Structures are given as C-alpha cells and as structure tokens.
Amino acid sequence: MMRQYHDWKRRYPDYLLLFRLGDFYEAFHEDAGVAARTLDIALTSRQKIPMAGVPHHALDVYLARLVRAGLKVAICDQVETAPAKGRQLIRREVVRLVTPGTVTEAGLLEGRLNNFLAALWRAPDHLGVALVDVTTADFLVGESADVEGLTETLLLRRPAEVLLPPGIPAGDPLATRLGAVGVTVTARDASSFGLREAEERLRAHFRVAAVEGLGLPRRGGAIRAAGAVLGYLQETQQAPLAHLTRIQTLALEDHLTLDEGAARNLELVESLQDRGSVATLLWAMDKTRTSMGGRLLRQWLLRPLLRPREIGERLDAVAALVEAPALLADLRETLEGIGDLARLASRVALGVASPRDLAALRVALGPLPTLREHAKRSADPTIRECAEAAEDLGDLEKTLEAALVDEPPLGVHEGGLIRESWNPALAELRAEVREARAWIAGLEGRERERTGIASLRVRYNRVFGYGIEIPKSQVRPMPPVPEDYVRRQTLVGAERYVTTELREQEAKVLGAEGRMHRLEYELFDDLRRTVAGEADRLLRTGRAVATLDVLAALGHVARERGYVRPTVDDGGVIDIREGRHPVLELRTDGARFVPNDLRLVSGEVECLVITGPNMAGKSTYMRQAALIVLLAQMGSFVPARSARVGVVDRVFTRIGAQDNLARGQSTFLVEMTETAAILRHATPRSLVLLDEIGRGTSTFDGLSIAWAVAEHLHERRAGVKVLFATHYHELTRLAAELPRVRNVHVAVREWKEDIVFLHRVVAGGTDRSYGIQVARLAGLPDEVVTRARALLREFEQGAPAPASPAGVDAGQLALFGGASAVPPPTAAPPPHPVLARLAELDPERMTPLEALAALDELRRRLSDAP
Ligand code: ADP
Ligand code: MG
C-alpha cells in the first residue's frame, strides 16, 4: 500500500496528498506534519511512518482550511469497493486537485468575491498578466511597460494564487511585492509559459485559426501568461472548461489606476484596522441583491473609468433609476430571488454540478422573465441593453422542472434524482421495484397465516439480504416449517430461512434498483450536459443581471442618502460643494457629519495645504475628496450638494504613519518609498493625497522633506492636484512661495481652556496647533497639562516670533526642537556648538591622550548645552 502511495505522491510532489484509507483520508511523512500543524489534528505514526488523518465525511471542512492556508491538495481516492480478482489491494487514483486559485466547491468560495488564478510573465521590456476565475468564467489578460502599475492592478484583485515562471529571483521587486501581499505563489516550469505552447493552447481552446483573432496584446507576455493559466486549469480541473469563451483585455489606459496601497489607505474594500470589510467604501455602497452584483460592484469600484462619455452612460442609467422609484423598487425586489447564475453555470460546465446545484439553478431562473419585463419599462439605453441581454431561459427552467425531483439529494449515485414522468424506462423500473417491494412487504402476513407462527418475521440483512426469521424458543413446540423453507443461518435466538420465490423477488428489487440508479445517473448526466450547452446564455444573462443589480444598488444608495449626480468631464476642475465622507457619514453615534467644500482648478489652484490640530478632520477631508472622485468615475452619484469632477487618471496616497507598524518595516522607509513612487509616477492629471508626510523622522527633516516634495510636484508636474495635510504649520508658507498653492485649515473654536472641533474647512492657514488642548481631551492628567502650559509659555517667550506672511508662530517647533527661532525651511539650521567644536578637531594630529581629553570636553559641553 505504501508503494501505491509513493507512486501517486511522486506524480504530485507539490501537492499535499490525502490518501483514502477506509473511513479516513491520511497524509503521510512530511505531508502529515503539515496537515497536523495546519488542521490542528493529531500526528501519529504506524511502523515509524508519521501520519495524520481526517474523517472522510468531513473532508470539505478540512479541505477549506488547507486551501485557505495556501496549500495545494491532491485527493487520492479508492475507486473500487473491493480488490479486483487475484489482487490484494484496492485501486486508488488521484481524483481531484484542489488549489487556492482553482477551487470550485461552493463551500470553499466567498459569494461576493472572485476567486482569481493569476499568472505573470516578466519580459525585459514589459509585464504580461492573466487572471481567470474558473468559477465565474471571468478571463482577463493584459500587458504593459508600466510593470509596477500592472502589478498593482493585478494585486488589487487579490488573486488567490499566482503562477510564476522559473528565473524570477527571490529578491526581485515583483517577488517581494507578492510576498508582502501574501498570495500563494506556484512555481511552474518554463514550458508552461512557452510562447508556442501558449498559442497552441489558446488556439485549441478558443477554436480559432490564429491567436491574432482573439485581439490580445501582441508583445507576447499576455499570451504566455494566458497559456500558463489555461494549462494549469486543464491540469487541475480535468474538465473541458468550455464555459471560458470570452477573454477580455485589461488595459491600463482605459481605467483609473489605483495601486494596492491607495486602495488600502482609502479603505476601499478592506479596513485598515483589521482588513475586514466593515466600514469600507464597498461596505457603504454594496446594496446589491445578488452575489454576481456584489462581485461586479467590487470590480467597478477598483477600476473606475476614465472617459467622460462612458462614465456618463452609467450615470444616465443610475439617474434613470433614481428618477423612477417604483421601477427601482420592483427591480430590487426581483433581483433578490436570483441566484448565482455565473457560479452555477460554471459548475455545470466543469461537470461538477450536483443535483442540488441544478435545483438551485432552476430556482435562480424563475424571476428572470419578470426582471426583463421590469427593465424594459425604462427608456435608458444601458438598462434596456441589459434587458435584451438577459435571456428569459424559460425553456431551460421548464426542462429542469420536468426532469428533476423537487428536492434532490446531494449525491448522484443513489437515485431519487429524476422524475418518473421524465423517462418511460425509469417509470418501468420504478414500477418493477415498487411491485417487488410490495410483494416482500406482504410476505410476512401471508407466511404467518400459512405457517400459523405468529412471531414469524421478514427481515433484511446487509450481508444475507431478505430472510424469514422464526424465533428459536418457538421452533420445537411449533409445527414444522413448510418444505419450501431453506435454512440459511442460525442466529442466537432464531433460525433464518429463505424461499425460492423470496430470492427471485429480492433479485428483482436489487437488480431493478441498480439499473434504476445507473439510469438516473445517466439521465442526470444528460441533463447536466444539456445545461452545460447553455452555459454561454447563462453567463451572458448573469452579466446582465449583475449590471442591473449594481445600477439598482447605486440608484438605491443615491436616493436613500441624498447623493447627487456629479458632472464628469475633462476640464481639470474638481469642485465639490458640501461634500461628505461616504463611510463616516453613516456612523450612527449621533454626531452629525459636517459637509465641506473643496475646489481645485488646473492652472489656478492645484495644491491645498490643510492645517489644523490633530483630530480636527484633516485626513477625513482629504479622503472624502478622493472617494468622491472615485465614486464619480465609477459612475455613481456622490455624497455632496453638487460636484464637478475633472477626470483623474490615477490616485496616489501617502496616508498615516501608523499603519505599517504592524508589518514590522521601518515606518519612515516605507513612507519614503511610497513618496518616491508618487514623485516618479504622478502625471498632470493625477490626484495625490499626502497626509503628514515626514512624520516618521525628526521635525526638521520631516519639514524639509515635505516642503521639497510639495515644491517638486508643483514645479515638475504642473497640473497634478495635491492635497497636503500637515501639522507642521510652517508649511502654510508654501502658499506665499508657490503660485498655485492655497492654505485651508480645519476650524476649531476655543472655549475657556478647551477647544471644540467644528470640522469645518475654511480658507487660510492656522497659526496654532492646540497640542496641549488635544492632549487634555485625550485624558492627560491635569498636573501634566498645567506643567505643559507653563513650559509652552516659557518656550514661547524665549522664541521671538518670526515675521512670516502666513502668520506662523514658533510655538510647536520650539516645543519639540528647542530651537530659538524657526529658520526658513530652505536654510540650514545653525550648527550645534558641540558639532562646531567637533569639526575643528584633527584626529591625525592628536595623541590618544589628547583625543580622550577632547572627547571628555565634548561630553561636558553637551550636558551644559540647552
Ligand atoms: P485629523 O486628520 O485632523 O487628525 P481626522 O480626519 O482623523 O482628523 O478626524 C478625526 C475625527 O473627527 C474623525 O474620526 C471623525 O470622527 C471626526 N470628523 C472628521 N471630520 C468630520 C466632519 N466633517 N464631520 C463630523 N465629524 C468629523
Ligand atoms: Mg490625520
């Protein structure tokens, strides 16, 4: 048996092999250790071989945990019930390969999330990628010279598994990036990525004469990556994949580019706190009624559009629903009943759909005709297009209704799936079984009468089949059993007999039942194949339903929360009146959200320096601007009184110094890496949010870096729109030096010793940081606050306020750096006396003793210095 095990393990070395042994799936050797650790199950051993097993009926539960841990699993099952003649061993085969990117089991998938398998091909001058979700038939490929941009676009979709060719060194930025995001990486050999192989595979799969016919990018990378995912799927699914009939291009130029960092910082689909979905933009917007709609909304959100015309079409559709509340309500109500056509169709096409899946599909199809009717009531072209594309599929529903019983079982081999009325042969077999069963059921009564033995029983036994049992104590005083009784077995308290007729009837039942199960399986398989033939229609319908669902959700949110239609154009103006933060405004702790205006105009006002004390609302103000832009470009109404959005090509963020601490990287280094990326990639049409940059280092360093970054963007990327929140109010002087920079600050009201946050953004810089008041609000003990106040007064007196156009005072810097005056950020600070002395020393001309003395002197001066 171990030889059999090793034969299979050799063929699937990268997989954790689960080997069926009776009622258990066992892992051996190293696999056993991995399984025990991952599943928290006992590691045992037999004849010194480590093993760990899970009960067969709970396989899917354990499988889910293994796959979620990023492991690939091969299931080696028993494919016969008893060893063939002349053999001792049951035949076993690998019947299923389950990997994070290729799972199809509904239980292992998240309804509202695509499960993407990705592949990357790194060519010297470009990157090629492919993404496929075999459970929904989404297939995307792309290539670009902007390697980073495309990598980010890929990572945003959180692929469950990424295939890489050999030769990407571990230190490569690509590998590092994948590692940081934490996806399962599967190394494939060179031929999996071969260009010839890929072209051949694609040609065969899509049945085209030449790959050129597919309209894919031409540099090679995309084709290689597409070939790699197809090959891997063919290997793991062992099914034809006929439902993958569409391949879309993932072109960076068509969409607003978001990197994974920006999506994270803006909490689009994952919260910063716990990477959960609550309190994210998607969470706020996702009022879709179907899983398909949920997945599509996520895609729209992570890929906002760039062309005002396309955006306008979506906005028209949303507006049409906002203006027709009755239609909107009808649509949403109907959508509620529609199941996941895409996933069901995919399972059918892959040949893994269970009878329950087909029953679910039957239910899912029910509301389609009504949905079409509703959608046709609208005059909006996009909605009408969806109505056309959503087929009513009534024929398929009828077939399923006629063929499949009301509540079919999960398994396909035990019968009970197909209605008798569906197939005459099945009806005959059922009748035969019924008759024979009825004969057996009547036998007990008949035999009791014939023999006069009242305690006679007809019983079924799994080994011996049906038998007539007569309790022993009654055997002797009773009349002898009839002559046609043949003794079969002596039990503890009874004798067991059969008759020829009983044998015949029994054979009839068993034979007919066996034939019935086989027939039902065949009929079911036919049915599944019929449905598979409709996979294309189902998927097309699924896409139309998803689109309607997303539009209806956007319409619903717009109505419920008083969103307005934004004007989207190429005008280079972002003008938001009374804008709100789409997520924060939903918080129900009683506090009202304070709306704010924002205005940026290319060539006039391109950078806002936002000052104000901690907790005033600077970050919120910046984020809400970015979120409103993203919403507008995905085609949604926005939370504002009015909004004009000049299309933005990319959103960059550098937000918060705290969020990376958890990853254990140097905060400052991460911050600067992100800042460097912004400086490299921002275009005149980008929107950049810089929140407290430079915070991770000393005050002067931070201030200087922040200043230089703002200057650089302003001068080298004229047009780029920058929101710059900072607690360094020295930066308000930027407005005086650079023409297109303006100051705004978040107002607070002073009240006795306290401050009240107004959350209102007003023009001009602020001159106070209110650090002590905020500290007090945060609960610093009173003595400490009082002492801090006294110190602040002292520091301020020793620090003459510099004359500055923006009215900056030196309070904060004096507090932190102890400097006597704030130098202009561009001038070097005066050197420390110790440093000056150090610079004068010449170690080469000093004796060791002199050096020691000098060192001592330096140390003394240092402790004397203020
Ligand atoms: P800052 O970045 O200035 O330190 P934040 O933007 O983080 O401040 O805001 C702090 C808190 O103030 C937020 O968590 C929110 O509760 C509240 N807040 C911010 N802006 C508003 C607003 N416009 N209306 C109501 N509450 C707000
Ligand atoms: Mg902040």
Side-chain angles (χ1 to χ4, degrees):
M1 195 197 69
M2 282 318 281
R3 210 172 302 129
Q4 191 184 37
Y5 168 82
H6 285 297
D7 279 348
W8 285 109
K9 181 66 193 177
R10 239 192 314 279
R11 284 157 74 171
Y12 295 96
D14 305 334
Y15 290 77
L16 192 148
L17 192 75
L18 289 180
F19 193 72
R20 180 76 180 257
L21 267 188
D23 284 342
F24 281 81
Y25 286 99
E26 298 283 354
F28 297 106
H29 298 290
E30 287 94 66
D31 283 356
V34 175
R37 266 197 309 282
T38 315
L39 300 174
D40 201 10
I41 55 175
L43 181 65
T44 59
S45 76
R46 210 184 286 173
Q47 293 166 14
K48 297 223 177 77
I49 299 172
M51 55 192 280
V54 300
H56 77 101
H57 57 81
L59 177 64
D60 277 359
V61 178
Y62 289 109
L63 209 47
R65 281 159 65 183
L66 291 171
V67 170
R68 255 181 234 130
L71 293 164
K72 288 168 274 187
V73 186
I75 313 282
C76 189
D77 230 324
Q78 296 170 180
V79 292
E80 56 191 14
T81 44
K85 274 211 176 66
R87 302 252 233 97
Q88 291 202 316
L89 215 55
I90 287 180
R91 211 152 49 82
R92 292 185 178 83
E93 276 174 17
V94 166
V95 294
R96 223 164 120 198
L97 296 173
V98 188
T99 82
T102 63
V103 284
T104 54
E105 285 79 3
L108 305 191
L109 296 166
E110 196 92 44
R112 289 177 173 259
L113 226 48
N114 272 110
N115 195 65
F116 281 119
L117 167 72
L120 292 174
W121 173 262
R122 185 87 125 95
D125 62 337
H126 72 281
L127 178 75
V129 303
L131 275 169
V132 63
D133 182 344
V134 71
T135 68
T136 59
D138 289 305
F139 195 167
L140 298 153
V141 299
E143 63 190 21
S144 172
D146 178 359
V147 172
E148 279 174 60
L150 190 55
T151 308
E152 295 299 328
T153 302
L154 181 88
L155 292 180
L156 265 186
R157 276 154 196 83
R158 289 238 172 275
E161 185 175 358
V162 178
L163 309 179
L164 287 185
I168 293 189
D172 186 277
L174 195 62
T176 315
R177 199 68 192 87
L178 293 173
V181 178
V183 298
T184 300
V185 171
T186 297
R188 302 284 287 166
D189 60 14
S191 72
S192 307
F193 278 88
L195 189 58
R196 290 278 151 275
E197 288 90 339
E199 285 177 343
E200 190 40 54
R201 232 176 247 142
L202 288 166
R203 261 204 306 270
H205 179 83
F206 290 102
R207 302 211 185 88
V208 288
V211 252
E212 284 71 27
L214 295 170
L216 303 181
R218 302 291 297 278
R219 277 183 282 198
I223 291 177
R224 286 172 187 267
V229 289
L230 254 189
Y232 191 62
L233 282 179
Q234 283 161 353
E235 215 173 283
T236 53
Q237 301 302 305
Q238 305 169 344
L241 306 169
H243 63 309
L244 300 183
T245 55
R246 256 173 27 126
I247 187 161
Q248 288 173 279
T249 40
L250 187 73
L252 288 183
E253 316 76 66
D254 294 343
H255 295 269
L256 185 152
T257 308
L258 273 172
D259 50 65
E260 201 264 334
R264 185 158 33 84
N265 283 330
L266 292 171
E267 307 192 283
L268 298 185
V269 296
E270 264 178 27
S271 70
L272 280 174
Q273 248 186 355
D274 56 0
R275 301 186 103 196
S277 59
V278 176
T280 61
L281 182 63
L282 181 63
W283 168 84
M285 300 304 296
D286 192 356
K287 300 296 163 195
T288 57
R289 291 279 168 106
T290 68
S291 311
M292 297 179 284
R295 293 194 297 266
L296 186 65
L297 180 67
R298 173 188 282 261
Q299 287 175 18
W300 281 22
L301 204 83
L302 293 176
R303 268 189 112 198
L305 301 172
L306 281 184
R307 296 191 191 82
R309 232 200 63 201
E310 253 177 282
I311 297 168
E313 281 169 7
R314 284 190 189 170
L315 286 169
D316 284 343
V318 176
L321 294 175
V322 169
E323 285 151 22
L327 171 61
L328 179 58
D330 286 345
L331 278 176
R332 281 174 45 82
E333 197 190 315
T334 315
L335 283 161
E336 183 77 52
I338 301 180
D340 199 335
L341 297 177
R343 286 230 157 117
L344 289 169
S346 299
R347 288 177 59 72
V348 170
L350 289 168
V352 297
S354 72
R356 296 245 172 103
D357 285 330
L358 288 196
L361 184 61
R362 178 171 63 192
V363 175
L365 295 174
L368 286 178
T370 320
L371 187 75
R372 270 164 60 98
E373 298 280 294
H374 289 325
K376 278 187 186 154
R377 275 155 58 192
S378 177
D380 178 80
T382 310
I383 297 175
R384 295 191 66 89
E385 225 171 82
C386 291
E388 297 301 325
E391 309 207 11
D392 92 15
L393 293 161
D395 46 344
L396 191 58
E397 193 198 351
K398 279 204 196 77
T399 307
L400 287 170
E401 183 56 40
L404 211 58
V405 300
D406 285 340
E407 283 178 26
L410 212 62
V412 290
H413 295 292
E414 283 83 48
L417 315 168
I418 304 291
R419 288 192 206 280
E420 228 168 276
S421 48
W422 178 245
N423 181 279
L426 180 64
E428 257 170 54
L429 280 171
R430 286 245 171 95
E432 213 174 295
V433 172
R434 256 197 308 275
E435 261 168 46
R437 282 237 176 89
W439 186 89
I440 293 172
L443 184 66
E444 199 171 271
R446 287 196 302 277
E447 292 301 304
R448 278 182 188 172
E449 205 161 297
R450 175 152 81 104
T451 60
I453 304 172
S455 52
L456 176 150
R457 288 244 161 85
V458 173
R459 285 242 169 108
Y460 181 76
N461 169 302
R462 271 183 52 193
V463 181
F464 297 99
Y466 287 100
I468 300 166
E469 282 180 24
I470 299 178
K472 258 187 196 149
S473 53
Q474 314 239 351
V475 174
R476 249 164 265 285
M478 292 272 165
V481 297
E483 282 193 356
D484 57 337
Y485 275 31
V486 180
R487 193 194 327 251
R488 255 299 133 96
Q489 202 188 357
T490 302
L491 304 165
V492 179
E495 296 286 345
R496 219 158 183 275
Y497 303 92
V498 293
T499 66
T500 322
E501 213 182 355
L502 178 55
R503 274 273 165 271
E504 278 169 19
Q505 294 295 341
E506 179 179 355
K508 230 188 215 171
V509 171
L510 295 180
E513 253 175 9
R515 269 177 287 146
M516 192 169 79
H517 293 169
R518 276 193 298 278
L519 177 61
E520 282 201 63
Y521 175 74
E522 271 165 35
L523 292 171
F524 174 75
D525 205 38
D526 281 349
L527 189 63
R528 193 156 61 181
R529 248 187 280 266
T530 310
V531 181
E534 304 287 351
D536 233 14
R537 275 168 84 203
L538 283 166
L539 290 168
R540 190 157 5 107
T541 304
R543 285 193 292 272
V545 171
T547 309
L548 280 175
D549 195 11
V550 171
L551 293 172
L554 294 179
H556 177 74
V557 167
R559 279 188 69 83
E560 289 284 297
R561 304 192 197 142
Y563 283 17
V564 296
R565 177 179 181 147
T567 307
V568 181
D569 55 28
D570 280 322
V573 174
I574 295 178
D575 189 356
I576 299 167
R577 299 286 161 85
E578 296 185 19
R580 284 127 44 204
H581 191 293
V583 181
L584 270 185
E585 77 158 329
L586 300 180
R587 288 207 330 202
T588 50
D589 54 6
R592 211 178 65 80
F593 193 86
V594 181
N596 276 305
D597 298 347
L598 176 134
R599 194 174 144 78
L600 291 165
V601 179
S602 283
E604 290 174 33
V605 185
E606 292 172 0
C607 173
L608 296 182
V609 174
I610 306 158
T611 42
N614 277 323
M615 292 302 290
K618 303 180 295 295
S619 301
T620 306
Y621 179 66
M622 309 204 335
R623 284 156 183 254
Q624 100 189 15
L627 295 179
I628 286 175
V629 167
L630 292 178
L631 282 175
Q633 288 188 224
M634 76 173 264
S636 167
F637 281 26
V638 297
R641 195 164 62 84
S642 74
R644 181 168 168 204
V645 173
V647 162
V648 158
D649 65 353
R650 189 156 179 177
V651 173
F652 293 94
T653 61
R654 170 76 278 281
I655 289 181
Q658 310 88 328
D659 55 319
N660 289 309
L661 286 177
R663 284 199 266 154
Q665 285 156 301
S666 149
T667 316
F668 182 65
L669 195 65
V670 172
E671 180 179 335
M672 286 303 118
T673 313
E674 283 186 24
T675 309
I678 295 174
L679 295 180
R680 249 197 332 273
H681 296 297
T683 78
R685 293 173 69 206
S686 303
L687 174 65
V688 178
L689 310 191
L690 300 172
D691 198 349
E692 311 271 12
I693 72 165
R695 195 189 228 175
T697 182
S698 77
T699 305
F700 282 125
D701 283 356
L703 195 51
S704 317
I705 291 170
W707 185 288
V709 166
E711 222 171 45
H712 180 94
L713 284 172
H714 198 74
E715 281 162 9
R716 304 283 174 78
R717 295 288 146 71
V720 61
K721 300 198 173 56
V722 181
L723 298 177
F724 200 149
T726 178
H727 70 283
Y728 296 132
H729 38 64
E730 291 72 21
L731 285 174
T732 52
R733 271 195 258 159
L734 270 169
E737 314 239 331
L738 302 174
R740 300 180 306 278
V741 175
R742 297 289 182 277
N743 284 317
V744 296
H745 69 276
V746 193
V748 293
R749 186 188 294 144
E750 286 184 69
W751 191 73
K752 291 189 191 152
E753 302 257 273
D754 278 331
I755 49 166
V756 178
F757 294 116
L758 301 177
H759 302 308
R760 228 187 31 249
V761 176
V762 293
T766 178
D767 56 359
R768 297 203 44 194
S769 66
Y770 298 100
I772 294 180
Q773 285 88 336
V774 175
R776 195 178 128 100
L777 280 181
L780 226 57
D782 279 347
E783 316 87 274
V784 176
V785 171
T786 312
R787 172 74 181 133
R789 274 214 179 87
L791 280 172
L792 177 63
R793 264 192 300 279
E794 242 172 70
F795 286 133
E796 278 176 347
Q797 272 152 23
S804 84
V808 178
D809 79 6
Q812 194 179 20
L813 266 187
L815 183 60
F816 286 108
S820 59
V822 182
T826 38
H832 192 279
V834 172
L835 289 178
R837 174 79 185 103
L838 187 62
E840 288 166 10
L841 297 179
D842 183 356
E844 290 193 6
R845 288 161 182 259
M846 292 167 91
T847 64
L849 220 55
E850 281 167 348
L852 263 181
L855 188 61
D856 191 48
E857 181 206 332
L858 284 176
R859 224 181 61 86
R860 241 179 317 106
R861 281 208 194 186
L862 195 61
S863 44
D864 292 347

